[in-house]
Amino acid sequence: MTAPETELGVRSFLTTETPAVAGILTTLVFVAFGDALLSDLENHLLTIAMFVCLFAVMMWGAFGVVRHADAVAEKLGEPYGTLVLTFSVIIIEVALLAAIMLHGQNNPTLARDVMFATLMIVLNGMVGTALLIGALRYWEQECNLTGARSFLVVLSALSIVALVLPKYTETPPSPVEAPGKAILFIAITVLFYGVFIFIQTMRHGAFFADPEERSDDPSHQTREPTRPLAYHVVMLALTLIPVVALSEYLAVIVDFGIEDIGLPEPLGGVLIAILVLAPEGLTAFHAALANHLQRAVNVCLGSALSTIGLTIPAVLLIGFAANIDVHLGLTDVETVLLVLTLFVSGLTFAGGRTNVLQGAVHLLLFFVYVALLFSP
């Protein structure tokens, strides 16, 4: 290979893999100068600048992780592809959770806040936006009723068992207060999610297919990644590792904002949920605009289900390892909002066709959630 070709190849690589390069460089800067940079958080301008920088780089990295995980998924096929994509995203979320949970004061409600924020952002924010923009362009859209119902029946049962039931048990399923009950909740959650994955990827995959999908429709054909599997696996790791490493530094700033400035405690959970869900949200919006509503439904409801199904066991295991409390039960207000959201979601997909009305209702519920963050 000649020198110009080599230079062109390097430039092409740097352009394509900018998220990984930015993540690695930012990680090196914070490893070298992080203690000095984080020593003066009372300088609010510097703190805000560092937060914006870290959040932007980690968000960029999350998009890169999803892109490579999606390519690996295409290469491996089902069910392994779905698992790679899901676990790649969950690793980021669990790393952020662990960093914030283990830093500063114990925040036993953080995991609950993240999962509740995920459900509100997905079921109201993302679903509402996807339905609204799709209906504005196509008037009405159709999804596979059986698939949407399969998502919602598992998601409803799992979210109520994990986030509502613990509030009404005599002892909460905390690794410190009731380790036996915590182990039971881990097992139940894993079984819920495992059964669904089996149904989705092996037994009833047709439930989650577009009702109008045709094999000769080029818009539905899978685009085979042009690079080899090994390349995407390596780049997936190189993009993921900086995001995980930077989570420790972001946790310091988030803890400072919550503990010292007095920002709402659930805000930490919202930030984690946004960081994890942003790539999938854009994927769902693009699918809705392309009139592939089922793809949008699969992305939205699948991300919510994987978050609940995999985050609860991970967080409880962190609680066991670090001997810290984990409180899963929602407040009364949050419980009402969750039940209302699940009820409306069931009605939204009950007919198999959606329009502007459903999208607007979900977005209004999302605005209620945001308002209650700052005025409980």
Side-chain angles (χ1 to χ4, degrees), residues 6-30:
T6 302
E7 183 178 352
L8 183 62
V10 172
R11 287 182 179 178
S12 175
F13 173 82
L14 292 177
T15 301
T16 305
E17 305 301 343
T18 307
V21 175
I24 292 171
L25 292 177
T26 305
T27 301
L28 293 176
V29 169
F30 272 87

Side-chain angles (χ1 to χ4, degrees), residues 159-218:
S159 57
I160 295 298
V161 167
L163 299 177
V164 177
L165 187 61
K167 181 179 174 63
Y168 299 98
T169 57
E170 292 186 7
T171 55
S174 170
V176 175
E177 298 180 34
K181 190 173 291 184
I183 293 174
L184 177 63
F185 266 65
I186 291 174
I188 291 174
T189 304
V190 170
L191 284 173
F192 264 120
Y193 187 70
V195 169
F196 180 83
I197 288 294
F198 174 76
I199 294 298
Q200 183 187 30
T201 60
M202 300 182 70
R203 189 172 180 87
H204 293 293
F207 287 179
F208 308 92
D210 193 313
E212 297 181 351
E213 185 173 350
R214 299 185 304 273
S215 60
D216 59 345
D217 184 355

Side-chain angles (χ1 to χ4, degrees), residues 4 88 134 146 204 364:
S88 299
T146 308
H204 293 293
L364 288 173

Side-chain angles (χ1 to χ4, degrees), residues 292-347:
H292 299 158
L293 183 62
Q294 186 60 44
R295 166 70 170 161
V297 170
N298 289 345
V299 170
C300 290
L301 300 186
S303 61
L305 184 58
S306 63
T307 297
I308 300 295
L310 297 177
T311 301
I312 290 176
V315 167
L316 290 175
L317 289 174
I318 292 171
F320 276 113
N323 195 34
I324 57 178
D325 278 325
V326 177
H327 295 171
L328 296 177
L330 297 174
T331 65
D332 292 339
V333 173
E334 291 170 338
T335 299
V336 171
L337 192 54
L338 173 62
V339 172
L340 177 60
T341 295
L342 294 172
F343 176 73
V344 171
S345 297
L347 293 178

